[in-house]
Amino acid sequence: MKTDAVIKILFIENSVEDAEQIITLLRNAGIAVRPARATTNEQIHAALEELGPDLVLFNPGVHSLPLRSVTQQIDASARDIALIACVAKMDDQGIADLFQNGVQGVGSRNQPKHLITVIKREFDALNTRRQVRRLESALRESERRCDALLDSSNDPIAYVHEGMHVRANRSYLDTFGYADDEELLGLPVLDLIGPADANAFKNLLRALSRGEKTEYQLELNARRADGSTFLATAEFAHATFEGETCLQIVFRRQHGDPSLVAQLQRDAITGLYNRTRTLECIDNAVAAANEGRKGQSLLLIEPDNWTQIVNGIGLSKADELLAAFAQRVSMQLDQKDIAGLLADHTIGVILHTESDEAIREWIDTLQQVISREIFDLGTQSITLTTSIGGSLLGEKNANTDMLLNQASQALRSAQSQGGNRIELHDPAAREKADAEREGNWLGLLRQALTQNEFVLYHQQSISLQDVEGDYSEILLRMNGPQSEVLPGFFLPIAEKHGLNAEIDRWVLNQTINALKSREKLDFPTTFFVKLTPDSLQPQANLLPWLDRTLKQANLKNGRLVLEMTESKVVTLLRPAQTFITGWKQLGGFFALEQFGSGLNSFQLLNHIDADYLKIDRSFMANLPQHPENQKKITEICLQAHELKRLTVAEWVEDAASTSMLFACGVDFVQGNFLQEPQRLVVNV
């Protein structure tokens, strides 16, 4: 399941609280939710039209709405919607009745992990069905286009069913010397193959028809109608013709010089395969994995600190160094292995090994060879280290884009840990790898806290209502070994090990120092600072610390707004209420992030005194194309202004969205379109 996917869920629940409990559960699991609730047939009909839910979560305890009525409405909507029953007690007969009446999944209300798993599974299944329909539609369109293009192709192409010709294009007829289709239809394709290659051709056809693993091309002598022959390569592909499965066969005559073709597939600098040929090889490896082949892996190899090295040796020597580096990689390859240049200085290797240990041995050997080598570049001599990221290739990840992404993420992770590292994506060893990676990040976090290696940025919020002063959100980064790291990588680990409150205090201290440095400008400045749930707890002692620090700062023009997501506040309502009350007594301000994502977000304001409401980012995506989101934002702004609250729209993507948000009544807008985050200058 994609982590950034928003699930639209219609809750059939007796109370808002029961629905909110599940919503909070999902959000705490990192699942974004767009909810609606219904308890009558009319409300279901309205929700199906307005929300367009992906899932319907049905509570059998809602007696006003029988299950059969819900399934009838879903069927009548003609939409593909997954219906899940959320039950308090699991019993065989009850579950059987639910499935018989149209439910696709059953989740236990008392087992949160089970319920989340069922929701994820049904959402993934729904997306798979949608993708299949899109692919089927695309396939039909492709088949129509292919049929239209078939006769205009210069390649001899034929469709063969059970060894007999059923369709051939004009080039095929001309190549084999037939006047029209009538002469060829029903003719065995074996009649067009030279006697010496007939058995090999027949065996290949038989293997393809049985779905066995085999090559999809064959070099042979083809025979024309007059008995003459020519050398060709027959390429095979599974296809359909008039609804029947068949084989597409393309006969490519061998005109070109094979050595010239091979030369064109090579990168001029490194001598490795070029990007196009390397991607073809990866596609072939993926196809082989789909057929069950084991022992393949894709590795991405890069010299560490390449940019700094090139700046040091000069651009004129960069190609020479890359060629020498590529040569060392090539020397470690076996005959079956393949290496090619995938990017500027990224070498891709398709490795064929019998075991995972053999992969790691190969990588260790390569890293040792590279690190021990002295690369001579004219009058200069340098040494290199290399980072390697890769992914084992199996049937589960036999997809070229997925494989490349997994290998790329592994490479970036290896580089972020300091370089000269190995990172292999292997689902079978995920737990062990995650534990090792977590240990590395934990060490980097503790080092960042003790050595001030965190970095702050600020992104301006633009007032649409001519409010004076500078309003900005503080954004946290961490200095990694090679580049800055986003908080999504390190905060979950910090939370697990109890470091978040300490990080919050560091951020607040730096922010207050930045406000002090702006005092001399005599310009009102407001900074929004995110808080983690750990800081709300009494044992964090954040309020007394803030009281002392702000009194020492003696700010006259600076204001501090602490903020937290709506879903986090809901799950920590009592400590959040106590903390915010104390913070307000100190003269502080508070903001709720991701506001409007709950079933009744404004009800939360009865307990939480928030000054700013930051509207949930899911409403901003492609805003001009979603009038229902524009309507929702307008409603939020109207209610907020009635309650004397200010609204902020984050993740604004374009000028059209900005204009619409102004019309909706939004007070502030923020996003990379308006201003990229800037480094926060702190003069202590």
Side-chain angles (χ1 to χ4, degrees):
M1 174 179 168
K2 291 184 178 180
T3 54
D4 58 349
V6 178
I7 307 180
K8 293 183 284 186
I9 302 180
L10 172 59
F11 290 87
I12 313 295
E13 284 284 358
N14 283 314
S15 67
V16 173
E17 290 74 16
D18 289 341
E20 286 285 4
Q21 185 179 14
I22 298 174
I23 293 170
T24 301
L25 181 69
L26 293 170
R27 287 185 176 142
N28 288 343
I31 302 171
V33 179
R34 180 84 59 79
R37 175 174 164 264
T39 55
T40 66
N41 284 317
E42 292 74 19
Q43 290 174 346
I44 290 179
H45 179 76
L48 290 174
E49 292 298 321
E50 294 177 11
L51 179 67
D54 303 304
L55 310 178
V56 173
L57 211 58
F58 173 77
N59 180 0
V62 180
H63 300 297
S64 60
L65 270 177
L67 177 56
R68 189 172 296 278
S69 175
V70 176
T71 55
Q72 286 174 350
Q73 289 227 46
I74 292 175
D75 292 341
S77 71
R79 291 188 175 95
D80 187 357
I81 300 172
L83 177 59
I84 301 173
C86 184
V87 299
K89 181 181 178 182
M90 290 280 199
D91 66 90
D92 294 344
Q93 185 58 48
I95 292 174
D97 291 341
L98 289 170
F99 278 114
Q100 190 172 5
N101 285 301
V103 164
Q104 276 112 8
V106 178
S108 172
R109 188 182 296 274
N110 299 321
Q111 297 291 331
K113 289 184 179 179
H114 179 264
L115 180 59
I116 290 172
T117 301
V118 171
I119 290 173
K120 284 182 175 180
R121 182 195 67 197
E122 293 304 324
F123 186 61
D124 286 341
L126 174 67
N127 282 329
T128 299
R129 293 195 298 273
R130 289 172 174 170
Q131 182 68 11
V132 167
R133 286 193 291 271
R134 286 192 290 267
L135 291 173
E136 286 175 343
S137 176
L139 177 61
R140 287 192 294 271
E141 178 62 24
S142 295
E143 286 177 341
R144 284 195 293 270
R145 291 182 180 181
C146 286
D147 195 56
L149 292 170
L150 187 64
D151 280 327
S152 61
S153 174
N154 292 324
D155 292 323
I157 304 172
Y159 289 91
V160 175
H161 179 63
E162 295 183 352
M164 300 293 183
H165 289 93
V166 293
R167 175 83 160 87
N169 67 351
R170 185 71 255 171
S171 179
Y172 191 91
L173 296 173
D174 293 341
T175 298
F176 286 95
Y178 290 92
D180 52 44
D181 285 344
E182 296 298 326
E183 294 185 41
L184 195 65
L185 295 183
L187 183 72
V189 68
L190 201 58
D191 288 359
L192 306 185
I193 308 301
D197 300 305
N199 285 334
F201 188 85
K202 188 191 302 181
N203 292 335
L204 182 56
L205 284 181
R206 186 180 295 115
L208 290 170
S209 66
R210 293 174 179 172
E212 298 175 1
K213 291 185 291 184
T214 185
E215 298 293 335
Y216 278 76
Q217 64 180 31
L218 179 67
E219 291 188 4
L220 46 74
N221 279 293
R223 185 168 57 183
R224 300 185 183 89
D226 61 7
S228 60
T229 62
F230 61 92
L231 189 63
T233 300
E235 298 179 356
F236 301 83
H238 292 286
T240 59
F241 179 72
E242 296 182 352
E244 294 287 341
T245 59
C246 62
L247 284 176
Q248 181 195 75
I249 305 178
V250 181
F251 285 87
R252 301 193 188 277
R253 300 186 64 174
Q254 298 184 1
H255 294 298
D257 182 355
S259 62
L260 178 60
V261 174
Q263 184 179 346
L264 293 173
Q265 294 177 341
R266 296 284 174 176
D267 175 68
I269 296 170
T270 63
L272 304 177
Y273 280 142
N274 58 27
R275 174 180 170 81
T276 302
R277 178 56 183 156
T278 305
L279 290 175
E280 288 177 0
C281 293
I282 294 173
D283 286 336
N284 293 337
V286 166
N290 271 316
E291 296 293 332
R293 183 179 296 176
K294 299 179 181 179
Q296 299 182 109
S297 56
L298 173 65
L299 305 179
L300 299 184
I301 305 169
E302 283 188 4
D304 291 325
N305 304 309
W306 179 254
T307 302
Q308 293 92 319
I309 290 171
V310 171
N311 289 338
I313 64 175
L315 197 59
S316 61
K317 297 293 183 181
D319 287 351
E320 184 180 345
L321 177 59
L322 183 61
F325 179 78
Q327 184 184 16
R328 301 307 184 278
V329 175
S330 297
M331 291 169 61
Q332 304 303 312
L333 299 177
D334 288 337
Q335 189 173 0
K336 290 183 179 179
D337 301 331
I338 296 169
L341 196 67
L342 281 172
D344 179 37
H345 57 280
T346 306
I347 295 174
V349 171
I350 302 172
L351 206 62
H352 296 79
T353 53
E354 296 299 325
S355 65
D356 298 351
E357 291 77 14
I359 298 174
R360 293 191 177 275
E361 287 176 10
W362 188 91
I363 293 174
D364 288 339
T365 301
L366 176 63
Q367 287 188 318
Q368 291 175 22
V369 167
I370 296 295
S371 62
R372 292 171 182 170
E373 184 75 23
I374 297 176
F375 294 86
D376 294 316
L377 306 168
T379 59
Q380 303 180 70
S381 297
I382 66 167
T383 59
L384 291 177
T385 60
T386 181
S387 292
I388 301 174
S391 179
L392 307 183
L393 176 55
E395 195 170 355
K396 285 187 176 180
N397 66 338
N399 175 283
T400 300
D401 289 340
M402 182 189 299
L403 182 66
L404 285 167
N405 285 336
Q406 290 170 347
S408 179
Q409 288 173 9
L411 175 61
R412 300 305 164 217
S413 178
Q415 292 171 329
S416 70
Q417 296 176 49
N420 200 29
R421 298 292 182 94
I422 304 167
E423 187 82 19
L424 279 179
H425 175 84
D426 180 8
R430 183 176 297 172
E431 291 183 5
K432 181 179 178 181
D434 286 348
E436 184 179 350
R437 188 182 302 112
E438 183 175 308
N440 290 329
W441 280 113
L442 183 59
L444 291 172
L445 276 168
R446 287 176 172 152
Q447 177 180 312
L449 278 169
T450 56
Q451 299 182 18
N452 279 335
E453 290 184 354
F454 288 111
V455 181
L456 293 183
Y457 285 76
H458 68 101
Q459 185 175 48
Q460 193 172 20
S461 296
I462 309 298
S463 172
L464 298 180
Q465 311 299 333
D466 295 328
V467 177
E468 291 187 359
D470 178 32
Y471 290 76
S472 294
E473 180 171 22
I474 299 299
L475 304 172
L476 176 64
R477 306 287 186 266
M478 184 177 76
N479 276 327
Q482 291 195 340
S483 61
E484 291 178 354
V485 185
L486 295 172
F489 284 95
F490 59 80
L491 281 185
I493 298 171
E495 180 181 11
K496 185 175 179 180
H497 294 274
L499 297 177
N500 272 352
E502 195 173 347
I503 294 173
D504 284 348
R505 191 171 293 198
W506 185 92
V507 173
L508 286 166
N509 187 57
Q510 295 296 310
T511 303
I512 292 170
N513 286 334
L515 287 172
K516 286 169 59 179
S517 67
R518 292 187 174 207
E519 285 285 290
K520 65 182 72 171
L521 301 176
D522 196 28
F523 188 69
T525 300
T526 300
F527 282 147
F528 292 79
V529 180
K530 300 178 188 294
L531 274 191
T532 62
D534 290 353
S535 292
L536 300 184
Q537 303 301 332
Q539 58 266 31
N541 291 317
L542 183 60
L543 283 175
W545 179 85
L546 277 170
D547 188 21
R548 292 193 306 271
T549 307
L550 288 171
K551 283 179 179 177
Q552 292 172 4
N554 192 26
L555 299 175
K556 296 181 176 61
N557 295 313
R559 295 200 307 175
L560 202 58
V561 182
L562 304 182
E563 62 184 27
M564 187 175 288
T565 63
E566 177 188 322
S567 60
K568 294 293 185 185
V569 171
V570 167
T571 58
L572 297 164
L573 192 55
R574 185 72 66 187
Q577 197 175 33
T578 303
F579 179 89
I580 294 166
T581 300
W583 173 234
K584 288 299 190 75
Q585 291 171 356
L586 299 180
F589 298 85
F590 189 77
L592 278 172
E593 280 194 291
Q594 298 178 14
F595 188 81
S597 57
L599 283 172
N600 192 356
S601 298
F602 279 94
Q603 186 179 13
L604 183 61
L605 297 181
N606 294 329
H607 308 283
I608 299 298
D609 186 12
D611 304 282
Y612 297 86
L613 307 179
K614 291 195 162 187
I615 301 170
D616 189 62
R617 70 177 67 172
S618 65
F619 294 112
M620 306 304 157
N622 299 315
L623 182 62
Q625 286 77 45
H626 291 86
E628 71 280 5
N629 288 354
Q630 300 167 30
K631 179 182 176 183
K632 180 68 174 179
I633 293 171
T634 302
E635 292 172 355
I636 290 174
C637 291
L638 287 173
Q639 286 185 264
H641 293 157
E642 288 176 5
L643 297 171
K644 308 300 182 186
R645 265 74 170 185
L646 297 174
T647 56
V648 182
E650 300 180 290
W651 296 78
V652 179
E653 300 175 341
D654 49 52
S657 296
T658 306
S659 300
M660 288 181 176
L661 291 167
F662 174 75
C664 292
V666 170
D667 296 292
F668 295 89
V669 290
Q670 177 185 335
N672 289 349
F673 165 74
L674 299 163
Q675 186 200 56
E676 294 281 346
Q678 306 292 317
R679 189 77 173 259
L680 183 68
V681 178
V682 181
N683 297 319
V684 182

